[in-house]
């Protein structure tokens, strides 16, 4: 079978003609791995602001291992509220939104329902492009808990669910906690 999601329906009929059906879903493909990562504000300490989606480890925003990076702060805003809460791709990564009810994504789509690597790469084709730019790079809108994103870097695809966005008002320790399927 080709990778994908298949539904098999069995219909059971007795001698009197009464019938009942039962469906099962079979997912064919390479099982996706789930890891968690924390992406820190790029304006924080040296060596922060990037995230290696392969390992779930924080890096510097320009580190060669990073696939995504934070956009840092807006110095024109008050210190307590200056974190932009935006991300972008780095080192060749392209990020798109997964939006329920758009581009072939069902209204009931969930991060948990994705089980295979092949499903993640297919989702990329249904993603919604970023439209904002900063310094010539495509950047997200303000990121919120619950946002779903899909990332492509070369032959690698990642599905992200933003679990929480943690704002700190006294320093630049702001961060996103992200579930990553790869």
């Amino acid at each position: 079978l080709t990778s994908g999601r298949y539904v098999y329906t069995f219909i059971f009929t007795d001698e009197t003609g009464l019938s009942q059906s039962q469906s099962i879903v079979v997912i064919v493909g390479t099982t996706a791995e789930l890891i968690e990562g924390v992406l820190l504000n790029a304006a924080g300490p040296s060596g922060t602001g990037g995230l290696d989606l392969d390992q779930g480890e924080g890096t510097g925003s320009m580190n060669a291992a990073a696939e995504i990076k934070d956009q840092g702060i807006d110095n024109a805003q008050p210190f307590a509220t200056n974190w932009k809460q935006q991300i972008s791709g780095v080192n060749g990564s392209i990020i798109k939104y997964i939006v329920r009810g758009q581009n072939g994504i069902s209204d009931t789509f969930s991060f948990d329902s994705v089980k295979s690597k092949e499903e993640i790469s297919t989702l990329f084709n249904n993603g919604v492009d970023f439209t904002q730019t900063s310094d010539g790079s495509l950047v997200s809108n303000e990121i919120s808990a619950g946002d779903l994103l899909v990332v492509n870097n070369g032959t690698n695809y990642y599905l992200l669910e933003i679990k929480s966005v943690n704002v700190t008002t006294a320093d630049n320790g702001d961060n996103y906690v992200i579930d990553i399927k790869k």
Side-chain angles (χ1 to χ4, degrees), residues 82-96:
N82 66 355
W83 185 35
K84 293 179 182 179
Q85 291 177 232
Q86 293 177 297
I87 64 171
S88 65
V90 66
N91 297 316
S93 292
I94 301 166
I95 309 173
K96 296 182 179 185

Side-chain angles (χ1 to χ4, degrees), residues 15-141:
E15 299 169 345
T16 64
L18 294 174
S19 66
Q20 185 165 352
S21 64
Q22 180 69 44
S23 295
I24 60 168
V25 176
V26 176
I27 298 169
V28 177
T30 310
T31 302
E33 180 183 353
L34 174 64
I35 60 175
E36 182 180 89
V38 177
L39 176 59
L40 298 170
N41 182 339
S46 178
T48 62
L51 185 60
D52 175 355
L53 298 177
D54 296 303
Q55 305 301 320
E57 295 175 357
T59 68
S61 58
M62 299 310 288
N63 186 294
E67 281 83 22
I68 64 173
K69 69 177 185 176
D70 176 66
Q71 290 297 298
I73 61 174
D74 179 350
N75 287 318
Q77 298 300 314
F79 185 80
T81 58
N82 66 355
W83 185 35
K84 293 179 182 179
Q85 291 177 232
Q86 293 177 297
I87 64 171
S88 65
V90 66
N91 297 316
S93 292
I94 301 166
I95 309 173
K96 296 182 179 185
Y97 299 105
I98 296 297
V99 181
R100 291 176 185 94
Q102 288 188 22
N103 288 3
I105 303 295
S106 76
D107 291 332
T108 58
F109 174 83
S110 73
F111 179 85
D112 292 336
S113 71
V114 176
K115 304 294 184 199
S116 75
K117 292 177 183 254
E118 292 81 4
E119 288 178 281
I120 298 169
S121 62
T122 299
L123 282 169
F124 186 78
N125 297 325
N126 299 99
V128 175
D129 294 333
F130 286 5
T131 56
Q132 290 192 54
T133 59
S134 176
D135 298 325
S137 295
L138 288 169
V139 299
S140 69
N141 296 325

